[in-house]
Amino acid sequence: MVRVLAARPALLVADEPASRLDAPIQATALHLLRSLADEDDLAVLLITHDHAAGAAIADNLVTMSSR
């Protein structure tokens, strides 16, 4: 991820970035994503099944359903 961020992109697509992590590490990873978004004016598209994780770091939240 560091190599990607070195290019200073405007958008980071994160597909389930914390899905297999235990709770404390998951919270740290999501906090890091939020910090990167705030400090570097980076848009983050977070793809997740965990609505709580999305809500914890999102300015805007969109839910998609397969129904």
Side-chain angles (χ1 to χ4, degrees):
M1 184 154 100
V2 174
R3 194 180 307 175
V4 170
L5 294 174
R8 304 193 56 78
L11 172 67
L12 176 66
V13 178
D15 187 4
E16 296 284 351
S19 64
R20 302 252 187 237
L21 303 174
D22 63 356
I25 296 174
Q26 182 180 31
T28 302
L30 293 173
H31 178 73
L32 176 62
L33 278 175
R34 182 62 200 204
S35 295
L36 287 170
D38 289 342
E39 293 171 8
D40 295 335
D41 197 27
L42 176 68
V44 177
L45 174 61
L46 178 69
I47 302 168
T48 184
H49 290 93
D50 184 356
H51 290 119
I57 69 166
D59 289 331
N60 299 302
L61 186 65
V62 176
T63 302
M64 296 177 65
S65 175
S66 60
R67 292 185 221 168

